[in-house]
């Protein structure tokens, strides 16, 4: 008889001890609930709103159960490997936990009769047979990664449905800490940050969930998901057992983990496994006490049944794995160029996990893009061939990414590979589902491979979404950034002898203006520079409002300036995203060192943390300022125009030919960065839900940071340009004879 081990291998004494020690710290009882008598300051009302976002007050309410359809009947799956999506063996009613009802006492016996059914649900490791068991039945997941924070909420259901129709039975995703806790003790789980709503959408799509809550996630996301406010303590050691870091982590997980507890598979939810940290073996610290602390914290709050695991590249298994956590590996087609490489990698994995199923937690379908480099791609053949070979070995596989999405706003991360490499706004990733949510040839090839090993749903995928072309549109000059300073920083500047970082002035993203005045006349062109590569990340330099050029981290280190005594020197600093991978140190933003003009260290600085998004969203529409337009605009300048959609609307791609670099907003929504001059990305994805339909006026706003074209025009295209090559979309059906007319996408309507 197969021996099923709940969650992981038998826990060693150190993890058990750590688990119970953390239980004591948190005031948790044996069932995982908090004892308000032992921890009075954590006591809460069961009727309290779980998503309270009052500043300085932690959200401590009982996790809200999802609202989902529970009337769907369980149906026996047919023998045909291509089954209807509703016939998947775990129906919505079994995957979504029920909200505990307020029942009269007469109905409580009925509830008691239902409780034993939950005990039959299990996801375990069968070590004798090197496999997973789901409810006692041999199981292998073929999963794909999708990040809810890179997709507008109204499109979640569409993307998840396409993943299920592709043959996947699970979705893997991260939870970015900085997306949900913007300030210490202030939590946001609303709108596009509604994690529970996304879990519910996954349940509706009949997808199991592999959750990766961090605290560090990488994901090419700003600071790898860690909040920038951690750096307000400059000496903090991230991702270690530093008490300051652990205190912040514990506080966060005491809010997050109770929310997901009802969604664990054995509790009636769809979460079958949870990753602890992320690729920790690639980090320089190799702090096992930190990993033990996390493992104990997860066990204390989530219990002993849930499968906890780690993920590392082959070179990171030594420091990334931990006894008591199931060890998995990640690698892509690039490591499979030689026929025996897969065998070597899985043999190495067996040194750390001798028994149980083989798992590749990140099988790369494509790759990320950096500004200034070519758009990354992976061939269909290499991706499908590698997947098929792993499935033949009986491995469980997660494809990273299955749908990439977009780094809207300022959320992109960065790498340090000889120099600072910020990541593009597009996170298309050459994934099977494109950035716009369209199926690609890679998807259909992968679907064919999956169909050889497990049942996939019947029927074709939805066709590509309708696309729209519009323009060219001529933008109007609103004025240079300095003219709006009172509105961009209404609270006024912060004064300091030496310049302060973004973190010190509590500016997490975007821009800070640094201002000082020349103490003497500089009549000859004189070198202006910042020692020790101290510009993080780009500086736009102006003297008395005249733009003189750019300094850039690792790239351009000096300008030559002149000016009269008392001349106003403005340096606009842009954060291009914090380091997000590997051995990243604390990545402070702004002027890290005081600038030098000639031989003089410049002091007495005014710092203006700029609220650009608020200006664009609220103040520009009110037209509060009569603006004087410069004759020849250059440097940071705002442009905008209004436009109407006369025909049918659709997804579209904003093309900015001739523009240099800046930020774009559509109807007040921050689309992200453009950098036409550097590339490779030339267009920005504009989802249809962001646009007002025919008859209503839309507004586009640009903050051009350097130089606008002579004709300040933009266009909306019906396809993206990610590498000066048009990315085509395809319509496909399982049967070549069966082609249906396109229908409008039925979205979740959030």
């Amino acid at each position: 008889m197969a021996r099923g081990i709940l969650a992981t291998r038998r826990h060693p004494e150190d993890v058990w001890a750590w688990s119970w020690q953390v239980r004591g710290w948190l005031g948790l009882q044996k069932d995982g609930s908090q004892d308000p008598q032992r921890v009075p300051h954590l006591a809460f009302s069961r009727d309290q709103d779980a998503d309270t976002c009052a500043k300085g007050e932690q959200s401590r309410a009982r996790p809200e159960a999802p609202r989902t359809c529970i009337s769907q009947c369980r149906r026996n799956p047919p023998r045909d490997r291509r089954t209807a999506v509703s016939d998947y063996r775990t129906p919505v009613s079994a995957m979504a936990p029920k909200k505990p009802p307020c029942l009269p006492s007469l109905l409580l016996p009925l509830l008691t009769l239902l409780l034993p059914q939950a005990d039959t649900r299990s996801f375990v490791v069968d070590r004798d047979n090197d496999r997973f068991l789901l409810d006692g039945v041999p199981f292998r997941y073929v999963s794909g990664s999708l990040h809810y924070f890179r997709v507008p909420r109204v499109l979640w259901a569409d993307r998840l449905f396409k993943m299920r129709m592709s043959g996947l039975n699970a979705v893997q995703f991260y939870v970015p800490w900085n997306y949900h806790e913007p300030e210490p003790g202030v939590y946001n789980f609303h709108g596009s940050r509604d994690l529970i709503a996304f879990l519910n959408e996954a349940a509706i799509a009949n997808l199991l969930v592999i959750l990766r809550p961090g605290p560090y996630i990488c994901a090419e996301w700003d600071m790898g998901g860690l909040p920038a406010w951690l750096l307000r303590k400059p000496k903090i050691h991230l991702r270690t057992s530093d008490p300051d870091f652990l205190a912040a982590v514990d506080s966060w997980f005491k809010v997050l983990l109770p929310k997901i507890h009802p969604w664990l598979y054995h509790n009636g939810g769809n979460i079958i496994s949870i990753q602890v940290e992320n690729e920790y073996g690639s980090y320089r610290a190799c702090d096992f006490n930190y990993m033990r602390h996390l493992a104990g914290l997860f066990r204390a709050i989530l219990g002993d049944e849930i499968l906890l695991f780690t993920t590392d590249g082959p070179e990171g298994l030594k420091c990334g794995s931990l006894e008591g956590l199931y060890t998995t590996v990640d690698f892509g087609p690039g490591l499979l160029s030689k026929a025996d490489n897969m065998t070597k990698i899985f043999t190495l994995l067996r040194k750390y996990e001798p028994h149980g199923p083989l798992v590749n937690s990140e099988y790369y379908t494509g790759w990320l893009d950096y500004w200034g480099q070519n758009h990354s791609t992976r061939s269909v053949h290499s991706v499908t061939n590698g997947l098929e070979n792993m499935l033949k070995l009986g491995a469980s596989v997660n494809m990273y990414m299955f749908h990439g999405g977009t780094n809207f706003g300022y959320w992109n991360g960065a790498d340090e590979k000889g120099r600072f490499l910020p990541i593009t706004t597009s996170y298309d990733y050459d994934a099977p589902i494109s950035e716009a949510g369209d199926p690609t040839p890679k998807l259909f090839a992968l679907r064919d491979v999956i169909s050889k090993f497990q049942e996939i749903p019947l029927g074709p995928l939805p066709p590509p979404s309708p696309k729209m072309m519009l323009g060219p549109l001529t933008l109007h000059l609103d004025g240079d950034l300095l003219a709006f300073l009172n509105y961009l920083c209404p609270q006024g500047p912060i004064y300091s002898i030496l310049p302060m970082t973004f973190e010190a002035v509590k500016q997490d993203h975007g821009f800070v203006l640094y201002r000082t005045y020349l103490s003497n006349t500089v009549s000859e062109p004189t070198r202006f520079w910042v020692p020790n590569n101290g510009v993080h990340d780009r500086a736009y330099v102006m003297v008395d409002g005249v733009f003189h050029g750019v300094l850039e981290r690792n790239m351009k280190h000096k300008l030559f300036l002149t000016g009269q005594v008392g001349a106003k020197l403005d340096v606009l600093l842009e954060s291009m995203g914090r380091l997000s991978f590997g051995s990243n140190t604390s990545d402070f933003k702004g002027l890290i060192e005081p600038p030098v003009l000639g031989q003089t260290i410049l002091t007495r600085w005014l710092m203006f943390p700029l609220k650009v998004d608020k200006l664009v969203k609220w103040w520009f529409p009110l037209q509060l300022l009569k603006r004087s337009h410069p004759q020849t605009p250059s440097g940071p300048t705002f442009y905008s125009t209004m436009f109407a959609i006369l025909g049918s609307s659709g997804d579209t791609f904003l093309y900015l030919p001739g523009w240099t670099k800046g930020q774009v907003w559509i109807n007040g929504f921050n689309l992200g960065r453009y950098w036409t001059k550097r590339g490779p990305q030339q267009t920005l994805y504009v989802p249809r839900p962001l646009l007002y339909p025919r008859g209503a006026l839309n507004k586009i706003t640009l903050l051009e940071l350097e130089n606008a074209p002579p004709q300040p025009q933009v266009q909306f295209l019906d396809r993206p340009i990610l590498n000066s090559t048009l990315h085509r979309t395809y319509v496909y059906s399982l049967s070549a004879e069966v082609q249906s007319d396109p229908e409008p996408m039925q979205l979740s309507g959030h």
Side-chain angles (χ1 to χ4, degrees):
M1 178 175 157
R3 177 164 56 95
I5 306 299
L6 284 176
T8 75
R9 73 190 71 173
R10 188 176 301 277
H11 300 288
E13 292 182 2
D14 60 342
V15 173
W16 278 113
W18 207 280
S19 170
W20 285 105
Q21 185 177 359
V22 173
R23 278 186 167 98
W25 294 340
L26 302 181
L28 296 178
Q29 302 176 88
K30 187 174 182 180
D31 63 356
S33 62
Q34 288 172 327
D35 184 351
Q37 293 184 347
R38 293 190 57 195
V39 192
H41 66 282
L42 292 179
F44 58 84
S45 166
R46 294 187 184 275
D47 296 326
Q48 181 181 342
D49 180 6
D51 288 322
T52 299
C53 286
K55 186 170 183 179
E57 179 180 343
Q58 291 190 356
S59 175
R60 306 187 184 101
R62 185 184 184 94
E64 181 177 319
R67 301 177 180 90
T68 184
C69 174
I70 60 173
S71 63
Q72 180 175 338
C73 298
R74 183 183 296 270
R75 298 163 61 182
N76 294 324
R79 297 299 180 185
D80 192 319
R81 287 196 178 275
R82 287 172 177 166
T83 64
V85 67
S86 61
D87 291 338
Y88 180 55
R89 67 181 303 276
T90 308
V92 174
S93 59
M95 294 173 63
K98 288 74 175 175
K99 185 174 182 177
C102 299
L103 294 175
S105 59
L106 291 177
L107 294 181
L108 289 178
L110 177 61
L111 181 61
T112 304
L113 290 175
L114 296 176
L115 287 178
Q117 296 179 9
D119 295 336
T120 65
R121 293 169 58 83
S122 62
F123 179 73
V124 302
V125 174
D126 175 4
R127 296 190 180 279
D128 287 344
N129 296 287
D130 295 335
R131 63 189 181 183
F132 291 123
L133 297 177
L134 185 70
D135 298 339
V137 178
F139 178 79
R140 177 245 299 281
Y141 63 74
V142 181
S143 171
S145 290
L146 178 152
H147 298 154
Y148 63 93
F149 42 92
R150 285 187 163 114
V151 180
R153 176 170 174 166
V154 72
L155 300 176
W156 287 350
D158 172 74
R159 306 306 194 251
L160 290 166
F161 175 71
K162 289 171 180 172
M163 292 175 70
R164 178 68 191 113
M165 292 297 292
S166 301
L168 306 185
N169 55 16
V171 58
Q172 183 197 84
F173 60 91
Y174 290 115
V175 180
W177 180 5
N178 55 9
Y179 198 58
H180 293 285
E181 191 177 2
E183 291 289 332
V186 180
Y187 303 100
N188 188 347
F189 289 92
H190 298 284
S192 292
R193 291 168 169 81
D194 193 336
L195 173 63
I196 303 305
F198 186 76
L199 284 168
N200 192 49
E201 292 286 10
I204 293 171
N206 281 319
L207 289 168
L208 298 167
V209 169
I210 302 162
L211 192 68
R212 311 173 85 184
Y216 164 82
I217 65 170
C218 183
E220 290 75 61
W221 190 252
D222 184 67
M223 203 165 152
L226 300 178
W229 49 259
L230 290 170
L231 300 182
R232 294 174 192 172
K233 295 184 176 180
K235 295 184 179 180
I236 194 170
H237 294 283
L238 304 175
R239 303 176 69 192
T240 70
S241 49
D242 180 328
D244 286 335
F245 183 66
L246 289 186
V249 169
D250 290 352
S251 178
W252 161 237
F253 278 139
K254 284 188 289 185
V255 173
L256 174 66
L257 297 183
K259 285 181 176 290
I260 66 173
H261 186 271
W263 288 84
L264 303 182
Y265 187 78
H266 59 272
N267 290 335
N270 52 356
I271 301 174
I272 58 173
S273 61
I274 296 179
Q275 181 178 295
V276 178
E277 244 278 349
N278 185 71
E279 297 181 323
Y280 191 65
S282 299
Y283 192 54
R284 68 185 187 281
C286 200
D287 185 343
F288 286 109
N289 286 333
Y290 164 62
M291 289 294 289
R292 291 189 189 100
H293 180 91
L294 292 181
L297 182 64
F298 279 51
R299 286 278 172 235
I301 298 177
L302 299 178
D304 302 323
E305 292 183 71
I306 185 66
L307 171 65
L308 300 181
F309 71 99
T310 61
T311 298
D312 286 280
E315 72 289 342
L317 290 169
K318 180 178 180 180
C319 283
S321 59
L322 183 72
E323 286 292 324
L325 306 180
Y326 196 79
T327 303
T328 74
V329 72
D330 58 37
F331 58 88
L335 288 182
L336 304 180
S337 55
K338 294 183 179 180
D340 61 343
N341 278 3
M342 182 182 299
T343 302
K344 290 180 179 178
I345 294 171
F346 281 137
T347 299
L348 178 62
L349 176 62
R350 282 299 186 210
K351 291 178 59 178
Y352 299 90
E353 199 61 68
H355 301 287
L358 299 171
V359 179
N360 185 344
S361 290
E362 288 189 9
Y363 178 62
Y364 304 111
T365 62
W367 200 246
L368 57 131
D369 288 347
Y370 303 109
W371 290 112
Q373 298 190 6
N374 290 331
H375 174 53
S376 299
T377 61
R378 291 279 195 273
S379 72
V380 172
H381 172 75
S382 65
V383 173
T384 55
N385 187 60
L387 176 65
E388 184 164 2
N389 289 335
M390 283 187 288
L391 295 181
K392 286 178 179 178
L393 292 176
S396 286
V397 181
N398 175 75
M399 286 172 274
Y400 188 101
M401 299 290 296
F402 208 82
H403 171 56
T406 308
N407 292 314
F408 294 115
Y410 311 108
W411 286 111
N412 66 275
D415 281 351
E416 186 82 61
K417 296 182 178 179
R419 64 182 180 88
F420 180 73
L421 293 171
I423 291 157
T424 59
T425 300
S426 172
Y427 200 66
D428 178 84
Y429 213 85
D430 194 34
I433 299 176
S434 74
E435 182 179 11
D438 294 332
T440 67
K442 187 176 291 183
L443 181 149
F444 299 113
L446 289 168
R447 192 187 197 204
D448 289 340
V449 170
I450 296 169
S451 69
K452 299 177 183 179
F453 297 90
Q454 64 188 41
E455 296 169 343
I456 65 173
L458 283 171
L461 276 83
S465 62
K467 302 298 189 294
M468 181 187 76
M469 297 181 67
L470 185 68
L473 305 174
T474 299
L475 274 65
H476 308 290
L477 177 65
D478 288 320
D480 62 77
L481 178 140
L482 297 179
F484 295 95
L485 196 53
N486 290 337
Y487 297 93
L488 288 164
C489 187
Q491 74 276 17
I494 299 166
Y495 174 79
S496 177
I497 295 295
L498 299 178
M500 301 167 67
T501 65
F502 276 44
E503 295 75 21
V505 300
K506 299 185 178 182
Q507 180 84 345
D508 290 340
H509 308 100
F511 304 89
V512 171
L513 180 74
Y514 294 77
R515 172 174 288 177
T516 191
Y517 296 88
L518 299 187
S519 57
N520 55 279
T521 297
V522 181
S523 54
E524 297 294 327
T526 302
R527 186 174 74 154
F528 174 76
W529 62 294
V530 181
N532 300 320
N533 197 29
V535 171
H536 285 199
D537 301 304
R538 282 174 63 85
Y540 306 90
V541 182
M542 295 155 280
V543 178
D544 284 335
V546 178
F547 181 59
H548 282 263
V550 178
L551 300 179
E552 184 176 351
R553 181 175 180 174
N554 296 123
M555 298 287 286
K556 187 175 181 182
H557 301 285
K558 61 184 179 181
L559 292 171
F560 289 88
L561 304 179
T562 60
Q564 298 295 314
V565 60
K568 181 172 58 182
L569 174 62
D570 287 314
V571 184
L572 179 68
L573 262 292
E574 178 188 14
S575 167
M576 283 295 296
R578 289 178 179 83
L579 294 171
S580 54
F581 175 73
S583 57
N584 51 297
T585 56
S586 298
D587 190 14
F588 297 95
K589 297 300 183 183
L591 288 176
I592 310 303
E593 299 278 347
V596 177
L597 182 60
Q599 301 298 318
T600 303
I601 297 175
L602 300 179
T603 58
R604 299 182 180 180
W605 290 91
L606 297 173
M607 283 142 294
F608 299 79
L610 303 184
K611 309 299 182 185
V612 183
D613 290 80
K614 288 187 177 180
L615 177 77
V616 171
K617 188 172 184 179
W618 301 114
W619 297 337
F620 267 3
L622 299 178
Q623 302 294 315
L624 292 178
L625 186 64
K626 293 183 179 179
R627 298 173 287 277
S628 58
H629 297 165
Q631 295 296 320
T632 55
S634 66
T637 307
F638 287 104
Y639 294 81
S640 67
T641 194
M642 309 287 287
F643 64 95
I645 299 173
L646 302 179
S648 59
S649 64
D651 288 346
T652 188
F653 304 90
L654 178 64
Y655 181 43
L656 302 105
W659 297 82
T660 307
K661 185 187 188 304
Q663 206 83 18
V664 185
W665 293 260
I666 297 284
N667 295 324
F669 179 85
N670 193 333
L671 278 184
R673 312 175 200 273
Y674 68 89
W675 204 343
T676 309
K677 188 173 182 179
R678 183 164 294 186
Q681 181 180 355
Q682 299 293 305
T683 58
L684 294 177
Y685 171 52
V686 183
R688 178 174 59 175
L690 291 182
L691 299 170
Y692 300 136
R694 65 184 73 179
L697 286 177
N698 295 272
K699 183 168 186 178
I700 179 172
T701 304
L702 264 67
L703 172 57
E704 169 58 53
L705 294 167
E706 298 184 43
N707 296 296
Q711 294 293 324
Q713 294 183 332
V714 299
Q715 301 176 49
F716 291 98
L717 307 181
D718 61 355
R719 58 191 63 187
I721 306 174
L722 299 179
N723 195 28
S724 299
T725 301
L726 298 183
H727 184 91
R728 301 183 181 276
T729 56
Y730 296 80
V731 179
Y732 177 92
S733 173
L734 281 175
S735 171
E737 290 79 22
V738 180
Q739 293 287 345
S740 58
D741 294 330
E743 296 181 0
M745 286 191 298
Q746 297 299 315
L747 302 178
S748 59
H750 294 309

